[in-house]
Amino acid sequence: MGLPERRAIAEYQKNTFPKWQKEFDDFLGYHLEIEVDWPTLGAEGMAEVFDKGISAIYFEPLLLALKDIAVDDFGKQALKDGFHKYVISGLEPDDRIFYKFSNKALSYGMNFCNIENYVNERRQRIVQILEKNL
């Protein structure tokens, strides 16, 4: 990626990502480790929509899914006991299984596309995979 894209990613890391980290930690009541493969996020020529896009693709659906699961103490405890790490990559896996869960970690590999259109579908998929594995 070029300078505008690298600059936009650095801005996101510095200004927006810490807000997401705090929101997850505050909501869950424990620290959720978030591992991001920053150089793989984004797409050439789309730097101006990185802030909104990265949030809509990788973070907003997860927070919405967690809220769906944590509707009661049982759901909150299941998350606390069984979900400790979120791993994000902008590279799609060869097997096209974008969400994977193992060892208390949810991994999500998806290229930078469909910025806003699929937040609800992503949320639903995350709920399904977490409820199956918690």
Side-chain angles (χ1 to χ4, degrees):
M1 284 189 278
L3 181 60
E5 292 81 15
R6 292 192 315 270
R7 184 179 286 136
I9 291 289
E11 279 293 310
Y12 191 93
Q13 278 182 272
K14 179 181 176 188
N15 297 320
T16 306
F17 176 71
K19 294 173 189 172
W20 279 112
Q21 182 69 70
K22 182 176 179 353
E23 192 161 356
F24 284 115
D25 292 353
D26 288 351
F27 176 75
L28 291 168
Y30 64 90
H31 177 69
L32 176 65
E33 181 183 349
I34 302 175
E35 180 182 308
V36 182
D37 187 3
W38 294 107
T40 66
L41 300 189
E44 193 74 34
M46 298 186 75
E48 69 278 355
V49 295
F50 278 10
D51 192 65
K52 186 175 185 179
I54 291 171
S55 293
I57 294 168
Y58 305 102
F59 296 107
E60 185 180 351
L62 177 62
L63 185 61
L64 293 171
L66 296 176
K67 289 179 178 181
D68 285 351
I69 293 168
V71 294
D72 56 20
D73 290 339
F74 190 78
K76 291 174 188 173
Q77 190 63 47
L79 287 168
K80 188 174 185 177
D81 293 343
F83 179 50
H84 295 189
K85 187 173 182 178
Y86 183 44
V87 180
I88 301 166
S89 172
L91 302 175
E92 293 183 1
D94 291 336
D95 61 11
R96 308 270 304 154
I97 299 173
F98 306 112
Y99 291 102
K100 296 178 181 173
F101 190 89
S102 68
N103 299 320
K104 299 182 181 184
L106 176 67
S107 299
Y108 182 41
M110 172 59 75
N111 64 17
F112 191 81
C113 64
N114 300 321
I115 294 170
E116 300 171 46
N117 298 344
Y118 296 102
V119 170
N120 191 49
E121 288 84 351
R122 290 181 181 116
R123 175 192 59 81
Q124 291 172 347
R125 181 66 188 119
I126 294 168
V127 168
Q128 289 172 349
I129 197 166
L130 287 178
E131 284 183 339
K132 178 181 175 187
N133 288 283
L134 291 177

